[in-house]
Amino acid sequence: MNPLKTGDTAPEFTLPDQDGEDISLTDFQGQRVLVYFYPKAMTPGCTLQACGLRDNMDEIKKLGVEVLGISTDKPEKLSRFVEKELLNFTLLSDEQHTVSELFGIWGEKTFMGKTYDGIHRISFLIGTDGKIEQVFDDFKTTNHHEIVLDYLNGK
């Protein structure tokens, strides 16, 4: 696993959203975008992380940032996740983990003694110039939104 770093150009991608509509990074050209990768919709940690962003979305948007959540879940599951948790941002389905690999966050993980390949929980703030402005890789699911907001507010 070799995640992209600050200053790297964000890779172009197009993925289906929770409604099956194709969304491309180029749709947000000239805007700041937080692309956050999470392992699995509707699990406790991923739900905490998503709800933290949901509850702070007004402030995040005021600071000029769009949010895209990416997992390997199918669009149908993402749709249920959005409905169940009333999420107010776009979730994208990376079933073949091609975008996860482009960002360098697909790799070996260990959970309860088992080793497998999966998405590592890392977020990338992409600047208006299309380059990675900040990488967030040191947070808990409960404080992800705080770490992001602290950075956006210059703290």
Side-chain angles (χ1 to χ4, degrees):
M1 194 181 83
N2 190 14
L4 294 178
K5 294 173 183 47
T6 301
D8 289 347
T9 299
E12 280 305 320
F13 64 83
T14 301
L15 290 171
D17 71 2
Q18 68 268 10
D19 301 319
E21 303 285 325
D22 279 350
I23 303 291
S24 299
L25 187 58
T26 53
D27 297 341
F28 302 94
Q29 210 160 13
Q31 298 177 61
R32 290 166 93 195
V33 182
L34 178 70
V35 176
Y36 89 95
F37 291 89
Y38 63 98
K40 201 168 181 70
M42 297 202 269
T43 55
C46 294
T47 298
L48 279 170
Q49 185 178 13
C51 290
L53 289 167
R54 174 200 67 200
D55 296 346
N56 291 277
M57 194 53 59
D58 287 348
E59 187 177 352
I60 292 169
K61 287 208 180 241
K62 272 188 207 142
L63 294 164
V65 177
E66 293 292 327
V67 175
L68 299 174
I70 299 179
S71 72
T72 55
D73 296 303
K74 294 181 182 310
E76 300 79 35
K77 185 171 185 184
L78 298 178
S79 179
R80 289 195 306 275
F81 190 34
V82 166
E83 286 174 27
K84 182 173 187 264
E85 302 301 336
L86 303 173
L87 300 180
N88 50 5
F89 53 89
T90 301
L91 297 181
L92 300 175
S93 172
D94 186 21
E95 284 185 79
Q96 305 305 315
H97 49 80
T98 49
V99 174
S100 305
E101 289 180 27
L102 288 172
F103 276 81
I105 54 89
W106 181 263
E108 193 172 278
K109 299 174 72 166
T110 305
F111 182 69
M112 296 178 71
K114 289 191 173 148
T115 301
Y116 61 96
D117 284 341
I119 284 182
H120 286 256
R121 194 183 301 274
I122 297 177
S123 298
F124 299 88
L125 181 64
I126 301 169
T128 55
D129 60 357
K131 294 193 183 308
I132 307 284
E133 180 181 324
Q134 182 69 22
V135 178
F136 302 98
D137 57 5
D138 185 20
F139 58 85
K140 296 177 176 64
T141 56
T142 53
N143 74 350
H144 176 245
H145 62 281
E146 293 168 14
I147 302 286
V148 170
L149 282 169
D150 284 352
Y151 173 81
L152 293 174
N153 284 310
K155 293 183 181 168

